């Protein structure tokens, strides 16, 4: 089976980094990571970039540590394909900027750059993402050497992320690249607006976002904090963060799944009262060659896939004791996130692995245990203008059904003014409801990222009793270690 070729569009906070590590530690037969496309979201986009560059810096140190200690290096997918890193949107299309730094920390990784500065590369890396100056005579040679070393595992881009997305899609055969979107969909919306037909060359867009029957996860750090900064800005109990952070972008991307995108596009914005605002994107052309294949991972399915604290500690502590740079880096921000989660919420100690679940799907999507909702593809629309419901995933919950076949033809259903029952209107979203297993995902994730061995191996024996069934199903033999 050919590897899945993917672009990861991300706003690197805690679980985003775990998702990227899961992809980069895969085998080259499973996945080829072409690009990491960065967007604002959990934090500002420049902090996202710093986290990604730091991740590659730590991976480089980890590879060296494993070689020096006679351990298999792993990271085979990364060694086969050096991914592009491109910086994208720094603000939403129309909504006011919101970030989740209250949960992920101001830098997205619980202050890792201050608490563990020895695991953060020198700031000279920022020159990688700027066009080279006309003359290089004034560049410090030692700084240049540091920059080159830092970028040995990735290729920096000088283009905006949405332009790199379009370039990759145009230069490769149609339906060979999948986009995994685990942050706000601003970069995707910009790419789709700039060149809809090129964007529709994508094989599939896999989105972590939205919530159907589960409560939302949008909240402010303290009551009224964001409202004071952004007058009139409301926090909603019914939206997931990614769709809330740029509801207009989400609505525009979802609209491409419709036979008639205009039927679910967000309404035109009211006249702006601000002196500055981003340019509003135009409508899509009236006729497009195809609809967008979009697979959705809402909170309903991601929330129940946990990384338990005891499983994480059992995996990482032996590696910490031996001096693994990757274990030290990841433990620093995941441990702090466990503490914050315990402070904010009562219940078992664990973290929902929202973003890594999408990568698990990329690696094992051929398994029949991945199931979509019985009503898929569903007409799921994103609310963009509600006072209390911005970012809400809206479905028709009335006891009605869409006519099929000759039963409806192209005729409108009487009284269905918004097209919820029309064959030619409304979105068509494939919503995932079933996975290979909830209970054991966290243990499998740890084993993949940190190179724990299978049953009987030296490392990770304690956690394998928890994960043995699912680990063997999806293949301990594919760990590459």
């Amino acid at each position: 089976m050919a590897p899945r070729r993917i672009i990861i569009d991300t706003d690197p906070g805690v679980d985003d980094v775990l998702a990227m590590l899961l992809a980069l530690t895969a085998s080259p037969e499973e996945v080829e990571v072409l690009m990491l496309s960065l967007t604002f979201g959990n934090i500002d986009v420049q902090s996202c970039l710093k986290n990604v560059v730091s991740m590659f810096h730590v991976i480089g140190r980890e590879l060296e540590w494993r070689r020096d200690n006679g351990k298999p290096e792993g990271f085979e997918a990364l060694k086969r394909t050096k991914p592009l890193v491109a910086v994208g949107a720094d603000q939403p299309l129309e909504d006011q900027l919101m970030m989740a730094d209250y949960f992920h920390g101001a830098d997205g990784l619980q202050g890792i750059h201050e608490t563990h500065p020895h695991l953060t590369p020198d700031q000279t890396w920022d020159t990688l993402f700027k066009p080279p100056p006309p003359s290089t005579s004034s560049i410090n040679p030692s700084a240049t050497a540091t920059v080159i070393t830092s970028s040995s595992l990735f290729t920096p881009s000088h283009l905006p992320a949405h332009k790199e997305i379009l370039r990759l899609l145009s230069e490769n055969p149609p339906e060979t690249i999948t986009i995994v979107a685990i942050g706000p969909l601003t970069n995707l919306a910009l790419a789709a607006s700039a060149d809809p037909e090129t964007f529709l060359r994508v094989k599939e867009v896999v989105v972590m976002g939205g919530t159907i029957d589960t409560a939302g996860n949008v909240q402010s750090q303290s009551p009224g904090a964001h409202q004071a900064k952004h007058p009139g800005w409301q926090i909603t109990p019914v939206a997931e963060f990614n769709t809330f952070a740029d509801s207009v972008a989400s609505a525009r991307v979802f609209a491409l799944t419709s036979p008639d995108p205009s039927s679910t596009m967000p309404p035109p914005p009211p006249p702006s009262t601000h002196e500055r605002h981003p340019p509003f994107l135009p409508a899509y052309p009236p006729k497009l060659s195809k609809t967008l294949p979009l697979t959705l991972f809402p909170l309903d399915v991601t929330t129940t896939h946990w990384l338990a604290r005891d499983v994480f500690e059992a995996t990482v502590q032996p590696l910490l004791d031996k001096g693994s740079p990757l274990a030290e880096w990841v433990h620093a921000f995941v441990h702090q996130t466990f503490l914050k989660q315990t402070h904010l919420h009562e219940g078992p100690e664990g973290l929902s692995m929202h973003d890594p679940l999408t990568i698990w799907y990329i690696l094992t999507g051929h398994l029949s245990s991945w199931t979509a909702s019985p009503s898929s593809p569903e007409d799921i629309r994103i609310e963009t203008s509600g006072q209390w419901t911005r970012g809400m995933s809206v479905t028709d919950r009335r006891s009605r059904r869409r006519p099929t076949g000759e039963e409806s033809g192209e005729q409108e259903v009487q009284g269905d003014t918004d097209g919820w029952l029309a064959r030619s209107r409304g979105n068509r979203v494939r919503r995932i409801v079933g996975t290979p297993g909830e209970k054991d995902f966290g243990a499998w994730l740890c084993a993949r990222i940190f190179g724990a061995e299978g049953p009987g191996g030296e490392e990770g024996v304690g956690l394998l009793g928890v994960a043995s069934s699912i680990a063997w199903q999806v293949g301990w033999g594919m760990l590459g270690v």
Side-chain angles (χ1 to χ4, degrees):
M1 183 181 298
R4 293 289 295 270
R5 308 177 73 226
I6 65 172
I7 295 169
I8 302 178
D9 191 75
T10 175
D11 56 336
V14 174
D15 60 330
D16 299 73
V17 169
L18 296 178
M20 289 187 288
L21 288 172
L22 180 58
L24 296 172
T25 54
S27 75
E29 290 74 31
E30 292 175 306
V31 70
E32 181 181 356
V33 182
L34 301 177
M35 180 170 76
L36 302 179
S37 165
L38 306 183
T39 178
F40 78 94
N42 291 316
I43 47 175
D44 66 276
V45 74
Q46 288 302 314
S47 294
C48 291
L49 178 59
K50 186 172 185 176
N51 290 345
V52 165
V53 174
S54 296
M55 178 185 72
F56 283 112
H57 176 72
V58 170
I59 290 173
R61 293 186 57 175
E62 177 72 8
L63 292 173
E64 182 180 357
W65 177 81
R66 291 183 184 184
R67 285 193 296 268
D68 291 346
N69 287 272
K71 296 180 179 294
E73 292 183 17
F75 290 96
E76 299 303 326
L78 174 59
K79 289 190 288 186
R80 175 73 65 86
T81 303
K82 186 164 74 168
L84 190 70
V85 174
V87 181
D90 60 1
Q91 62 181 331
L93 296 181
E94 299 176 21
D95 299 325
Q96 294 187 24
L97 181 64
M98 176 199 178
M99 295 183 290
D101 50 358
Y102 74 92
F103 185 76
H104 294 265
D107 65 356
L109 296 177
Q110 309 296 358
I112 187 75
H113 305 299
E114 293 184 1
T115 61
H116 294 67
H118 58 290
L119 295 177
T120 299
D122 294 338
Q123 193 69 21
T124 50
W125 55 261
D126 59 2
T127 62
L128 294 167
F129 298 88
K130 300 174 183 178
S135 172
T136 58
S137 59
S138 61
I139 295 180
N140 185 323
S142 62
T144 302
T146 301
V147 168
I148 294 173
T149 302
S150 298
S151 65
S152 61
L153 296 175
F154 68 91
T155 301
S157 172
H158 298 156
L159 292 177
H162 75 277
K163 292 186 177 181
E164 287 287 16
I165 290 173
L166 291 173
R167 183 184 65 80
L168 287 173
L169 292 174
S170 66
E171 293 179 358
N172 288 273
E175 299 183 16
T176 59
I177 295 176
T178 295
I179 299 176
V180 183
I182 53 178
L185 298 183
T186 315
N187 288 335
L188 276 64
L190 290 169
S193 176
D195 191 340
E197 290 295 348
T198 296
F199 185 75
L200 289 174
R201 291 167 65 92
V202 71
K203 179 178 181 178
E204 180 183 14
V205 173
V206 178
V207 174
M208 189 281 119
T211 180
I212 307 301
D213 296 312
T214 300
N217 65 349
V218 178
Q219 52 188 308
S220 60
Q221 183 173 7
S222 58
H226 287 95
Q227 286 88 334
K229 185 176 181 181
H230 302 295
W233 191 58
Q234 304 294 341
I235 301 297
T236 173
V238 295
E240 179 274 334
F241 175 79
N242 289 338
T243 57
F244 180 85
D246 196 341
S247 60
V248 172
S250 296
R252 290 184 63 96
V253 173
F254 278 47
L256 287 173
T257 69
S258 174
D260 178 10
S262 66
S263 67
T264 60
M265 285 280 280
S272 176
T273 58
H274 302 284
E275 294 183 3
R276 297 184 59 196
H277 58 77
F280 300 121
L281 300 182
Y284 295 123
K287 294 290 184 181
L288 295 172
S289 61
K290 58 176 291 190
T291 58
L292 177 70
L294 192 151
T295 299
L296 184 66
F297 283 75
L299 292 179
D300 308 65
V301 69
T302 63
T303 301
T304 55
H305 289 75
W306 273 50
L307 172 58
R309 184 173 181 175
D310 57 350
V311 170
F312 176 75
E313 297 289 350
T315 308
V316 175
Q317 191 59 53
L319 298 172
L320 281 173
D321 295 340
K322 296 176 182 178
S324 162
L326 180 64
E328 181 184 4
W329 190 65
V330 174
H331 183 269
F333 59 79
V334 172
H335 177 73
Q336 288 299 317
T337 308
F338 279 127
L339 296 179
K340 185 169 292 186
Q341 180 78 357
T342 301
H343 174 72
L344 292 173
H345 304 283
E346 296 182 356
E349 291 186 302
L351 300 173
S352 294
M353 293 289 99
H354 304 290
D355 297 337
L357 193 64
T358 62
I359 302 299
W360 193 23
Y361 168 76
I362 292 294
L363 299 178
T364 66
H366 59 281
L367 297 177
S368 59
S369 42
W370 289 103
T371 56
S373 65
S375 55
S376 286
E378 297 182 39
D379 187 358
I380 301 174
R381 310 183 189 186
I382 305 300
E383 175 60 54
T384 62
S385 56
Q387 181 181 5
W388 311 112
T389 57
R390 190 184 102 200
M392 180 180 181
S393 302
V394 181
T395 61
D396 189 350
R397 298 175 181 274
R398 293 167 289 186
S399 57
R400 310 186 304 172
R401 66 181 181 86
R402 177 182 290 121
T404 58
E406 297 180 357
E407 192 177 358
S408 65
E410 295 299 325
Q411 302 299 317
E412 297 289 335
V413 176
Q414 185 175 2
D416 182 38
T417 56
D418 293 321
W420 290 98
L421 302 179
R423 292 178 61 197
S424 60
R425 296 200 288 165
N427 294 335
R428 305 288 186 272
V429 175
R430 178 173 176 257
R431 176 168 68 95
I432 296 297
V433 296
T435 74
E438 298 177 359
K439 180 185 65 172
D440 300 319
F441 175 59
W444 181 83
L445 173 71
C446 285
R448 274 292 182 118
I449 291 176
F450 296 105
E453 296 182 358
E458 176 187 354
E459 297 172 1
V461 176
L463 70 91
L464 291 174
V466 182
S468 58
S469 61
I470 188 62
W472 281 110
Q473 181 184 5
V474 298
W476 282 108
M478 298 187 294
L479 288 176
V481 296

